Amino acid sequence: MLPIDEEEDTARADVSGEIRLPATLEGTGPIPDSAEIAIVGGGVIGLAIAYNLARRGLTDVVVLERGYLAEGASGRNGGGVRQQWSTELNIRLMQESVELCRRFAVDLGVNVWFRQGGYLFLARSAAEVARLEKNIAIQNRCGVATRILEPAKARDIVPELDLTGIVAAAYNPSDGILFPWPFLWGYARQAAAHGVRIFTQTPVGGLERQKAGGYVVHTPRGAVRARRVINATGAWSPRLAQMIGVDIPTYPIRHEICSSEPLKPFLRPMVSELASGLYCSQSMRGEIVGGVTIPGHASTYGMGSTLEFLATYARRLVRLMPILGEIKILRQWAGPYDQSPDGNPILGAAPGHPDFLLACGFVGHGFMMAPVVGKLYGEWLTGSPPHEIFSRYTLARFADGVPQGEKEDFNIG
Ligand SMILES: Cc1cc2nc3c(=O)[nH]c(=O)nc-3n(C[C@H](O)[C@H](O)[C@H](O)COP(=O)(O)OP(=O)(O)OC[C@H]3O[C@@H](n4cnc5c(N)ncnc54)[C@H](O)[C@@H]3O)c2cc1C
Protein backbone atom coordinates (compact mmCIF):
# COMPACT_ATOMS: atom_id res chain seq x y z
CA MET A 1 0.00 0.00 0.00
CA LEU A 2 1.33 3.46 -0.87
CA PRO A 3 1.63 6.13 1.82
CA ILE A 4 -1.47 8.30 1.87
CA ASP A 5 0.02 11.30 0.11
CA GLU A 6 1.30 9.32 -2.83
CA GLU A 7 -2.01 7.53 -3.10
CA GLU A 8 -3.74 10.87 -3.28
CA ASP A 9 -1.43 12.01 -6.04
CA THR A 10 -2.06 8.82 -7.99
CA ALA A 11 -5.78 9.28 -7.64
CA ARG A 12 -5.58 12.91 -8.67
CA ALA A 13 -3.48 12.14 -11.70
CA ASP A 14 -5.94 9.44 -12.62
CA VAL A 15 -8.95 11.75 -12.74
CA SER A 16 -7.15 14.69 -14.38
CA GLY A 17 -9.49 17.34 -13.08
CA GLU A 18 -12.42 16.36 -15.29
CA ILE A 19 -15.81 15.45 -13.89
CA ARG A 20 -16.42 11.92 -15.14
CA LEU A 21 -19.44 10.82 -13.19
CA PRO A 22 -20.56 7.84 -15.28
CA ALA A 23 -17.29 6.01 -14.54
CA THR A 24 -17.67 6.70 -10.83
CA LEU A 25 -21.28 5.69 -10.28
CA GLU A 26 -22.74 2.28 -10.96
CA GLY A 27 -26.45 2.64 -11.68
CA THR A 28 -26.89 -0.77 -13.29
CA GLY A 29 -25.39 -4.26 -13.03
CA PRO A 30 -24.77 -6.59 -10.11
CA ILE A 31 -23.45 -5.52 -6.74
CA PRO A 32 -20.71 -7.47 -4.91
CA ASP A 33 -21.59 -10.35 -2.55
CA SER A 34 -19.54 -8.95 0.28
CA ALA A 35 -17.81 -5.86 1.57
CA GLU A 36 -16.01 -4.84 4.72
CA ILE A 37 -18.24 -1.80 5.07
CA ALA A 38 -21.57 -0.99 3.45
CA ILE A 39 -22.47 2.68 3.69
CA VAL A 40 -26.17 3.21 3.12
CA GLY A 41 -26.90 6.69 1.74
CA GLY A 42 -25.02 8.58 -0.95
CA GLY A 43 -25.37 12.06 0.53
CA VAL A 44 -22.47 14.18 1.69
CA ILE A 45 -22.08 12.26 4.96
CA GLY A 46 -21.92 8.79 3.39
CA LEU A 47 -19.56 9.97 0.64
CA ALA A 48 -17.29 11.89 3.03
CA ILE A 49 -16.91 8.76 5.17
CA ALA A 50 -16.32 6.58 2.09
CA TYR A 51 -13.59 8.89 0.83
CA ASN A 52 -11.87 9.10 4.19
CA LEU A 53 -11.91 5.32 4.67
CA ALA A 54 -10.51 4.76 1.21
CA ARG A 55 -7.73 7.33 1.44
CA ARG A 56 -6.55 5.59 4.61
CA GLY A 57 -6.44 2.23 2.83
CA LEU A 58 -9.82 0.72 3.69
CA THR A 59 -11.19 0.32 0.18
CA ASP A 60 -13.45 -2.74 0.46
CA VAL A 61 -16.36 -0.35 0.83
CA VAL A 62 -19.65 -0.03 -1.03
CA VAL A 63 -21.98 2.97 -0.97
CA LEU A 64 -25.61 2.08 -1.62
CA GLU A 65 -27.77 5.04 -2.68
CA ARG A 66 -31.41 4.45 -3.48
CA GLY A 67 -31.60 7.25 -6.07
CA TYR A 68 -28.92 9.62 -7.32
CA LEU A 69 -26.20 11.49 -5.44
CA ALA A 70 -27.52 14.72 -3.99
CA GLU A 71 -31.09 13.40 -4.04
CA GLY A 72 -31.54 14.12 -0.33
CA ALA A 73 -30.74 17.17 1.78
CA SER A 74 -27.19 17.29 0.41
CA GLY A 75 -28.41 18.47 -2.98
CA ARG A 76 -30.95 20.89 -1.55
CA ASN A 77 -29.15 23.03 0.99
CA GLY A 78 -27.81 26.56 1.26
CA GLY A 79 -24.09 25.67 1.37
CA GLY A 80 -23.41 27.72 4.51
CA VAL A 81 -20.28 26.86 6.53
CA ARG A 82 -19.86 28.62 9.87
CA GLN A 83 -17.98 28.44 13.14
CA GLN A 84 -20.54 30.43 15.13
CA TRP A 85 -21.98 27.76 17.44
CA SER A 86 -22.93 27.58 21.10
CA THR A 87 -20.84 24.63 22.34
CA GLU A 88 -17.09 24.29 22.39
CA LEU A 89 -17.23 20.86 20.75
CA ASN A 90 -19.20 22.11 17.74
CA ILE A 91 -17.05 25.22 17.40
CA ARG A 92 -13.86 23.16 17.37
CA LEU A 93 -15.33 20.66 14.91
CA MET A 94 -16.31 23.49 12.60
CA GLN A 95 -12.89 25.15 12.85
CA GLU A 96 -11.43 21.95 11.43
CA SER A 97 -14.19 21.62 8.83
CA VAL A 98 -13.53 25.14 7.56
CA GLU A 99 -9.87 24.24 7.11
CA LEU A 100 -10.89 21.12 5.17
CA CYS A 101 -13.24 23.21 3.01
CA ARG A 102 -10.40 25.64 2.26
CA ARG A 103 -8.26 22.76 1.00
CA PHE A 104 -11.05 20.83 -0.68
CA ALA A 105 -10.44 22.04 -4.23
CA VAL A 106 -6.77 21.11 -4.06
CA ASP A 107 -7.18 17.87 -2.10
CA LEU A 108 -10.17 16.56 -4.05
CA GLY A 109 -9.51 18.12 -7.44
CA VAL A 110 -12.81 19.91 -7.91
CA ASN A 111 -13.83 23.53 -7.56
CA VAL A 112 -16.53 23.89 -4.90
CA TRP A 113 -16.65 27.68 -5.08
CA PHE A 114 -15.83 28.04 -1.39
CA ARG A 115 -15.85 31.72 -0.51
CA GLN A 116 -15.12 33.06 3.00
CA GLY A 117 -17.23 36.19 3.06
CA GLY A 118 -18.23 35.76 6.71
CA TYR A 119 -21.54 35.23 8.48
CA LEU A 120 -23.45 38.22 9.83
CA PHE A 121 -26.15 37.44 12.41
CA LEU A 122 -28.61 40.25 13.12
CA ALA A 123 -30.32 40.71 16.49
CA ARG A 124 -33.57 42.61 17.08
CA SER A 125 -33.78 42.27 20.89
CA ALA A 126 -31.62 42.45 24.01
CA ALA A 127 -32.27 38.75 24.62
CA GLU A 128 -30.85 37.90 21.21
CA VAL A 129 -27.80 40.06 21.86
CA ALA A 130 -27.22 38.29 25.17
CA ARG A 131 -27.42 34.96 23.39
CA LEU A 132 -24.90 36.09 20.78
CA GLU A 133 -22.54 37.44 23.44
CA LYS A 134 -22.65 34.20 25.40
CA ASN A 135 -21.77 32.21 22.26
CA ILE A 136 -19.11 34.68 21.14
CA ALA A 137 -17.27 34.33 24.47
CA ILE A 138 -16.94 30.58 23.81
CA GLN A 139 -16.04 31.14 20.16
CA ASN A 140 -13.32 33.66 21.06
CA ARG A 141 -11.93 31.25 23.65
CA CYS A 142 -11.59 28.69 20.85
CA GLY A 143 -9.83 31.20 18.59
CA VAL A 144 -12.77 32.14 16.35
CA ALA A 145 -12.67 35.89 15.73
CA THR A 146 -16.42 36.60 15.99
CA ARG A 147 -17.27 40.05 17.35
CA ILE A 148 -20.34 42.05 18.25
CA LEU A 149 -21.00 45.03 15.99
CA GLU A 150 -23.06 48.15 16.43
CA PRO A 151 -25.76 48.33 13.73
CA ALA A 152 -23.83 51.05 11.85
CA LYS A 153 -20.79 48.76 11.66
CA ALA A 154 -22.96 46.01 10.22
CA ARG A 155 -23.84 48.44 7.44
CA ASP A 156 -20.15 48.93 6.72
CA ILE A 157 -20.14 45.25 5.80
CA VAL A 158 -23.50 45.23 3.98
CA PRO A 159 -24.42 48.84 3.02
CA GLU A 160 -27.74 47.65 1.55
CA LEU A 161 -29.16 46.68 4.99
CA ASP A 162 -32.17 48.53 6.39
CA LEU A 163 -31.23 48.63 10.06
CA THR A 164 -34.61 49.67 11.44
CA GLY A 165 -35.14 47.56 14.55
CA ILE A 166 -31.69 45.93 14.42
CA VAL A 167 -29.91 46.40 17.75
CA ALA A 168 -26.62 44.55 17.14
CA ALA A 169 -24.90 42.01 14.92
CA ALA A 170 -22.38 39.19 15.29
CA TYR A 171 -19.78 38.85 12.56
CA ASN A 172 -17.10 36.28 11.90
CA PRO A 173 -15.18 36.99 8.70
CA SER A 174 -13.87 33.45 8.16
CA ASP A 175 -17.26 31.74 7.84
CA GLY A 176 -18.33 31.09 4.27
CA ILE A 177 -20.45 29.44 1.61
CA LEU A 178 -19.86 26.79 -1.01
CA PHE A 179 -21.64 25.13 -3.92
CA PRO A 180 -22.89 21.78 -2.56
CA TRP A 181 -23.10 19.60 -5.68
CA PRO A 182 -19.42 19.52 -6.71
CA PHE A 183 -18.60 18.79 -3.09
CA LEU A 184 -20.41 15.46 -3.44
CA TRP A 185 -18.89 14.83 -6.85
CA GLY A 186 -15.40 15.44 -5.43
CA TYR A 187 -15.89 12.93 -2.62
CA ALA A 188 -17.54 10.39 -4.93
CA ARG A 189 -14.94 10.63 -7.63
CA GLN A 190 -11.97 10.38 -5.28
CA ALA A 191 -13.53 7.57 -3.23
CA ALA A 192 -14.10 5.64 -6.48
CA ALA A 193 -10.58 6.41 -7.67
CA HIS A 194 -9.34 4.68 -4.51
CA GLY A 195 -11.53 1.61 -5.10
CA VAL A 196 -14.84 2.34 -3.36
CA ARG A 197 -17.83 1.19 -5.41
CA ILE A 198 -20.78 3.57 -5.43
CA PHE A 199 -24.12 2.10 -6.45
CA THR A 200 -26.89 4.54 -7.30
CA GLN A 201 -30.49 3.40 -7.95
CA THR A 202 -29.95 0.85 -5.18
CA PRO A 203 -32.44 1.14 -2.32
CA VAL A 204 -31.74 -0.92 0.78
CA GLY A 205 -34.97 -2.71 1.67
CA GLY A 206 -33.81 -5.02 4.46
CA LEU A 207 -31.03 -5.74 6.92
CA GLU A 208 -30.41 -9.17 8.39
CA ARG A 209 -28.12 -9.51 11.38
CA GLN A 210 -25.63 -12.39 11.15
CA LYS A 211 -24.81 -14.56 14.17
CA ALA A 212 -21.10 -14.29 13.40
CA GLY A 213 -21.34 -10.47 13.20
CA GLY A 214 -22.20 -8.09 10.44
CA TYR A 215 -25.31 -7.86 8.30
CA VAL A 216 -26.75 -9.01 5.01
CA VAL A 217 -27.91 -5.87 3.24
CA HIS A 218 -30.76 -6.52 0.84
CA THR A 219 -31.35 -4.50 -2.32
CA PRO A 220 -33.25 -5.19 -5.55
CA ARG A 221 -29.85 -5.64 -7.24
CA GLY A 222 -28.77 -8.39 -4.84
CA ALA A 223 -27.51 -8.74 -1.29
CA VAL A 224 -24.18 -7.67 0.21
CA ARG A 225 -22.72 -9.33 3.29
CA ALA A 226 -21.05 -6.50 5.20
CA ARG A 227 -19.00 -6.75 8.35
CA ARG A 228 -20.19 -3.27 9.24
CA VAL A 229 -23.06 -1.10 8.07
CA ILE A 230 -23.05 2.69 8.35
CA ASN A 231 -26.42 4.36 8.42
CA ALA A 232 -25.94 7.62 6.48
CA THR A 233 -29.47 7.93 5.19
CA GLY A 234 -30.08 11.41 6.61
CA ALA A 235 -33.71 12.08 7.39
CA TRP A 236 -34.53 8.46 6.45
CA SER A 237 -32.18 7.06 9.12
CA PRO A 238 -34.95 6.01 11.52
CA ARG A 239 -36.45 3.87 8.75
CA LEU A 240 -33.19 2.06 8.03
CA ALA A 241 -32.53 1.55 11.74
CA GLN A 242 -36.02 0.17 12.22
CA MET A 243 -35.09 -2.70 9.88
CA ILE A 244 -33.07 -4.14 12.79
CA GLY A 245 -35.36 -2.85 15.53
CA VAL A 246 -33.27 0.20 16.51
CA ASP A 247 -35.17 3.40 17.36
CA ILE A 248 -33.57 6.70 16.39
CA PRO A 249 -35.34 9.76 17.83
CA THR A 250 -34.79 12.01 14.80
CA TYR A 251 -37.58 13.22 12.54
CA PRO A 252 -37.78 14.95 9.16
CA ILE A 253 -38.72 18.63 8.95
CA ARG A 254 -39.25 20.13 5.52
CA HIS A 255 -37.26 23.33 4.90
CA GLU A 256 -37.88 25.49 1.87
CA ILE A 257 -35.29 27.54 0.05
CA CYS A 258 -35.09 29.53 -3.19
CA SER A 259 -32.73 31.16 -5.62
CA SER A 260 -32.99 34.42 -7.56
CA GLU A 261 -31.81 35.52 -10.95
CA PRO A 262 -28.07 36.34 -10.94
CA LEU A 263 -27.14 39.86 -9.80
CA LYS A 264 -23.88 41.74 -9.89
CA PRO A 265 -21.77 40.72 -6.86
CA PHE A 266 -22.58 42.96 -3.89
CA LEU A 267 -23.21 40.71 -0.86
CA ARG A 268 -20.13 39.22 0.78
CA PRO A 269 -21.38 37.53 3.97
CA MET A 270 -24.21 35.15 4.63
CA VAL A 271 -26.78 37.36 6.39
CA SER A 272 -29.08 35.80 8.95
CA GLU A 273 -31.77 37.39 11.08
CA LEU A 274 -32.20 35.56 14.39
CA ALA A 275 -35.83 36.48 15.03
CA SER A 276 -37.27 35.20 11.76
CA GLY A 277 -34.70 32.61 10.74
CA LEU A 278 -34.24 34.51 7.47
CA TYR A 279 -30.90 33.82 5.79
CA CYS A 280 -29.50 34.76 2.43
CA SER A 281 -26.19 34.76 0.63
CA GLN A 282 -24.99 35.56 -2.84
CA SER A 283 -23.57 32.63 -4.76
CA MET A 284 -20.48 32.89 -6.95
CA ARG A 285 -22.88 32.97 -9.90
CA GLY A 286 -24.62 36.00 -8.44
CA GLU A 287 -27.91 34.41 -7.32
CA ILE A 288 -29.39 35.33 -3.96
CA VAL A 289 -29.96 31.97 -2.26
CA GLY A 290 -31.99 32.01 0.91
CA GLY A 291 -34.77 30.78 3.13
CA VAL A 292 -36.81 31.58 6.20
CA THR A 293 -38.27 29.53 9.02
CA ILE A 294 -41.96 28.81 8.71
CA PRO A 295 -42.95 27.85 12.26
CA GLY A 296 -45.32 25.02 12.99
CA HIS A 297 -44.45 22.73 10.11
CA ALA A 298 -45.37 19.14 10.91
CA SER A 299 -42.78 16.43 10.52
CA THR A 300 -42.90 15.28 6.90
CA TYR A 301 -40.85 13.80 4.11
CA GLY A 302 -42.78 16.02 1.70
CA MET A 303 -40.55 18.14 -0.51
CA GLY A 304 -43.16 20.32 -2.11
CA SER A 305 -42.91 24.11 -2.30
CA THR A 306 -45.44 26.59 -0.94
CA LEU A 307 -46.63 30.10 -1.72
CA GLU A 308 -46.64 30.76 2.05
CA PHE A 309 -42.87 30.30 2.10
CA LEU A 310 -42.30 32.50 -0.92
CA ALA A 311 -44.49 35.31 0.43
CA THR A 312 -42.91 35.16 3.91
CA TYR A 313 -39.38 35.07 2.51
CA ALA A 314 -40.06 37.95 0.12
CA ARG A 315 -41.56 40.15 2.87
CA ARG A 316 -38.69 39.51 5.31
CA LEU A 317 -35.96 39.83 2.71
CA VAL A 318 -37.26 43.11 1.28
CA ARG A 319 -37.73 44.56 4.77
CA LEU A 320 -34.07 43.81 5.49
CA MET A 321 -32.68 44.73 2.06
CA PRO A 322 -35.16 46.94 0.20
CA ILE A 323 -32.84 46.98 -2.82
CA LEU A 324 -33.93 43.37 -3.50
CA GLY A 325 -37.58 44.36 -3.98
CA GLU A 326 -37.45 43.99 -7.75
CA ILE A 327 -35.52 40.75 -8.13
CA LYS A 328 -37.01 37.66 -9.73
CA ILE A 329 -37.03 34.32 -7.97
CA LEU A 330 -36.09 31.68 -10.53
CA ARG A 331 -36.20 28.48 -8.52
CA GLN A 332 -37.82 27.26 -5.33
CA TRP A 333 -37.37 23.86 -3.69
CA ALA A 334 -37.34 22.07 -0.35
CA GLY A 335 -35.43 19.40 1.53
CA PRO A 336 -35.59 17.55 4.83
CA TYR A 337 -33.73 18.53 7.99
CA ASP A 338 -32.88 15.38 9.96
CA GLN A 339 -33.95 16.91 13.27
CA SER A 340 -32.35 15.48 16.40
CA PRO A 341 -33.76 16.21 19.87
CA ASP A 342 -30.74 18.20 21.10
CA GLY A 343 -29.63 19.68 17.78
CA ASN A 344 -26.51 17.50 17.60
CA PRO A 345 -25.69 14.53 15.37
CA ILE A 346 -25.95 10.88 16.35
CA LEU A 347 -22.74 8.94 15.82
CA GLY A 348 -21.04 5.66 16.73
CA ALA A 349 -22.52 2.21 17.23
CA ALA A 350 -26.18 1.70 18.02
CA PRO A 351 -26.62 0.20 21.51
CA GLY A 352 -26.51 -3.60 21.26
CA HIS A 353 -25.35 -3.40 17.62
CA PRO A 354 -21.58 -2.86 17.54
CA ASP A 355 -21.49 -3.36 13.76
CA PHE A 356 -24.30 -0.90 12.98
CA LEU A 357 -22.82 2.59 12.98
CA LEU A 358 -24.78 5.80 12.89
CA ALA A 359 -24.03 9.05 11.07
CA CYS A 360 -27.29 10.95 11.18
CA GLY A 361 -29.26 13.66 13.01
CA PHE A 362 -27.36 16.55 11.41
CA VAL A 363 -30.36 18.92 11.43
CA GLY A 364 -29.47 21.96 9.26
CA HIS A 365 -25.69 21.69 9.46
CA GLY A 366 -24.70 18.30 8.07
CA PHE A 367 -23.10 19.74 5.01
CA MET A 368 -20.65 21.88 6.92
CA MET A 369 -19.89 19.08 9.38
CA ALA A 370 -19.36 16.38 6.76
CA PRO A 371 -15.67 17.10 6.12
CA VAL A 372 -14.66 16.77 9.75
CA VAL A 373 -17.06 13.97 10.67
CA GLY A 374 -16.01 12.01 7.56
CA LYS A 375 -12.38 12.47 8.52
CA LEU A 376 -12.89 11.41 12.14
CA TYR A 377 -14.94 8.37 11.10
CA GLY A 378 -12.22 7.41 8.61
CA GLU A 379 -9.54 7.67 11.30
CA TRP A 380 -11.49 5.68 13.84
CA LEU A 381 -12.46 2.82 11.53
CA THR A 382 -8.90 2.45 10.29
CA GLY A 383 -7.42 1.99 13.74
CA SER A 384 -6.96 5.42 15.36
CA PRO A 385 -8.47 6.01 18.81
CA PRO A 386 -12.04 7.30 18.53
CA HIS A 387 -12.49 11.08 18.80
CA GLU A 388 -14.70 12.27 21.66
CA ILE A 389 -17.64 12.82 19.28
CA PHE A 390 -18.07 9.04 19.24
CA SER A 391 -18.62 8.93 22.99
CA ARG A 392 -20.53 12.22 23.36
CA TYR A 393 -22.84 12.14 20.34
CA THR A 394 -24.11 8.60 20.88
CA LEU A 395 -27.64 7.32 20.44
CA ALA A 396 -27.46 6.12 24.07
CA ARG A 397 -27.43 9.75 25.30
CA PHE A 398 -31.19 9.87 24.70
CA ALA A 399 -31.90 6.84 26.90
CA ASP A 400 -33.22 9.10 29.69
CA GLY A 401 -34.64 11.95 27.60
CA VAL A 402 -32.85 14.89 26.03
CA PRO A 403 -29.51 15.71 27.70
CA GLN A 404 -29.45 19.45 28.40
CA GLY A 405 -25.70 19.83 28.95
CA GLU A 406 -24.78 19.18 25.32
CA LYS A 407 -27.73 20.96 23.72
CA GLU A 408 -26.84 23.03 20.67
CA ASP A 409 -29.11 26.06 20.74
CA PHE A 410 -27.78 27.86 17.68
CA ASN A 411 -29.43 25.88 14.89
CA ILE A 412 -30.08 28.89 12.73
CA GLY A 413 -29.48 29.89 9.17
C1 LIG B 1 -33.21 23.82 2.79
C2 LIG B 1 -32.00 23.30 3.49
C3 LIG B 1 -30.94 24.17 3.75
C4 LIG B 1 -29.80 23.69 4.41
N1 LIG B 1 -28.74 24.54 4.58
C5 LIG B 1 -27.58 24.05 5.09
C6 LIG B 1 -26.42 24.87 5.17
O1 LIG B 1 -26.43 26.03 4.79
N2 LIG B 1 -25.29 24.33 5.69
C7 LIG B 1 -25.23 23.02 6.13
O2 LIG B 1 -24.19 22.57 6.60
N3 LIG B 1 -26.31 22.23 6.06
C8 LIG B 1 -27.48 22.70 5.54
N4 LIG B 1 -28.58 21.89 5.47
C9 LIG B 1 -28.49 20.53 6.03
C10 LIG B 1 -27.68 19.59 5.16
O3 LIG B 1 -28.13 19.66 3.83
C11 LIG B 1 -27.81 18.17 5.69
O4 LIG B 1 -27.54 18.14 7.08
C12 LIG B 1 -26.86 17.22 5.00
O5 LIG B 1 -26.97 17.33 3.60
C13 LIG B 1 -27.18 15.80 5.44
O6 LIG B 1 -26.44 14.91 4.63
P1 LIG B 1 -26.75 13.37 4.70
O7 LIG B 1 -25.77 12.71 3.83
O8 LIG B 1 -26.84 12.96 6.14
O9 LIG B 1 -28.26 13.21 4.18
P2 LIG B 1 -28.84 13.24 2.70
O10 LIG B 1 -28.14 14.19 1.83
O11 LIG B 1 -30.31 13.41 2.84
O12 LIG B 1 -28.47 11.82 2.14
C14 LIG B 1 -29.14 10.65 2.58
C15 LIG B 1 -29.26 9.75 1.36
O13 LIG B 1 -29.75 8.48 1.77
C16 LIG B 1 -30.53 7.98 0.72
N5 LIG B 1 -31.38 6.91 1.26
C17 LIG B 1 -32.42 7.02 2.11
N6 LIG B 1 -32.93 5.82 2.40
C18 LIG B 1 -32.19 4.93 1.70
C19 LIG B 1 -32.24 3.51 1.57
N7 LIG B 1 -33.14 2.76 2.24
N8 LIG B 1 -31.35 2.88 0.77
C20 LIG B 1 -30.40 3.61 0.09
N9 LIG B 1 -30.33 4.96 0.17
C21 LIG B 1 -31.21 5.60 0.98
C22 LIG B 1 -31.29 9.20 0.22
O14 LIG B 1 -31.76 9.02 -1.10
C23 LIG B 1 -30.23 10.30 0.33
O15 LIG B 1 -29.56 10.53 -0.88
C24 LIG B 1 -29.73 22.33 4.82
C25 LIG B 1 -30.79 21.47 4.57
C26 LIG B 1 -31.90 21.93 3.89
C27 LIG B 1 -33.03 20.98 3.63
Side-chain angles (χ1 to χ4, degrees):
M1 194 173 68
L2 292 169
I4 284 170
D5 284 344
E6 287 170 55
E7 274 192 350
E8 274 197 325
D9 286 340
T10 311
R12 224 179 287 150
D14 190 38
V15 295
S16 71
E18 280 173 43
I19 292 173
R20 292 201 305 238
L21 280 179
T24 301
L25 307 178
E26 302 181 53
T28 57
I31 61 174
D33 295 340
S34 67
E36 179 70 13
I37 296 190
I39 298 174
V40 189
V44 71
I45 297 291
L47 294 170
I49 295 173
Y51 163 72
N52 279 283
L53 290 172
R55 72 183 285 270
R56 295 175 65 85
L58 207 170
T59 56
D60 185 14
V61 174
V62 294
V63 176
L64 306 169
E65 164 55 48
R66 69 174 177 193
Y68 53 90
L69 303 188
E71 164 163 335
S74 299
R76 299 162 177 275
N77 66 84
V81 178
R82 64 178 157 101
Q83 299 148 94
Q84 296 186 58
W85 289 98
S86 73
T87 67
E88 181 166 340
L89 181 55
N90 286 343
I91 294 163
R92 292 204 185 278
L93 286 174
M94 281 311 306
Q95 283 176 289
E96 187 169 358
S97 239
V98 164
E99 274 314 301
L100 293 167
C101 288
R102 281 162 56 90
R103 299 199 325 243
F104 196 92
V106 172
D107 290 349
L108 281 287
V110 64
N111 184 1
V112 291
W113 297 3
F114 183 52
R115 179 166 64 81
Q116 287 175 284
Y119 249 72
L120 184 70
F121 283 103
L122 301 172
R124 289 187 181 275
S125 70
E128 287 171 4
V129 178
R131 187 177 172 203
L132 289 175
E133 282 173 341
K134 184 166 153 272
N135 294 346
I136 288 173
I138 308 173
Q139 291 158 23
N140 290 169
R141 216 169 49 229
C142 295
V144 177
T146 317
R147 57 188 194 274
I148 282 280
L149 301 179
E150 299 284 319
K153 293 282 179 202
R155 198 156 39 205
D156 287 347
I157 297 167
V158 183
E160 293 77 10
L161 286 176
D162 179 340
L163 293 171
T164 313
I166 303 289
V167 293
Y171 178 61
N172 173 37
S174 64
D175 294 338
I177 55 163
L178 50 74
F179 182 25
W181 299 349
F183 219 88
L184 274 84
W185 302 337
Y187 277 140
R189 194 177 56 182
Q190 291 295 347
H194 283 89
V196 171
R197 296 185 64 186
I198 302 170
F199 297 93
T200 51
Q201 310 302 327
T202 310
V204 171
L207 291 173
E208 218 181 305
R209 193 174 190 178
Q210 299 296 284
K211 280 207 179 72
Y215 297 85
V216 177
V217 183
H218 293 277
T219 85
R221 292 167 71 177
V224 192
R225 250 180 312 104
R227 200 172 75 74
R228 281 172 155 161
V229 170
I230 301 181
N231 182 355
T233 54
W236 296 271
S237 295
R239 290 186 175 177
L240 191 83
Q242 261 306 317
M243 292 177 192
I244 52 166
V246 169
D247 283 325
I248 297 181
T250 65
Y251 50 95
I253 294 284
R254 182 169 57 111
H255 272 254
E256 297 189 54
I257 178 167
C258 65
S259 170
S260 76
E261 62 185 328
L263 310 175
K264 276 188 190 162
F266 74 96
L267 182 60
R268 273 191 62 73
M270 172 81 86
V271 176
S272 177
E273 188 186 53
L274 295 176
S276 64
L278 173 81
Y279 65 92
C280 67
S281 67
Q282 186 167 28
S283 78
M284 295 281 270
R285 285 186 304 219
E287 304 123 332
I288 302 298
V289 178
V292 67
T293 303
I294 307 283
H297 267 184
S299 176
T300 173
Y301 284 104
M303 295 202 202
S305 297
T306 65
L307 187 58
E308 181 193 10
F309 164 78
L310 207 53
T312 310
Y313 175 72
R315 262 198 304 274
R316 302 269 185 206
L317 185 68
V318 174
R319 178 178 67 162
L320 200 59
M321 273 189 268
I323 192 177
L324 295 177
E326 300 296 319
I327 61 166
K328 296 178 185 64
I329 299 296
L330 294 192
R331 207 159 71 84
Q332 181 184 1
W333 68 98
Y337 274 24
D338 181 18
Q339 189 70 42
S340 78
D342 63 357
N344 285 314
I346 303 179
L347 306 170
H353 289 264
D355 300 331
F356 187 70
L357 305 176
L358 305 167
C360 56
F362 285 94
V363 196
H365 46 275
F367 212 95
M368 64 180 93
M369 284 197 171
V372 65
V373 169
K375 176 173 172 278
L376 296 175
Y377 243 123
E379 288 171 358
W380 177 36
L381 298 185
T382 55
S384 296
H387 186 273
E388 63 176 307
I389 54 171
F390 298 110
S391 48
R392 286 174 65 177
Y393 287 161
T394 60
L395 176 55
R397 75 185 186 271
F398 299 114
D400 300 317
V402 180
Q404 295 303 310
E406 299 275 14
K407 203 166 177 162
E408 175 54 68
D409 78 344
F410 209 60
N411 278 304
I412 305 147

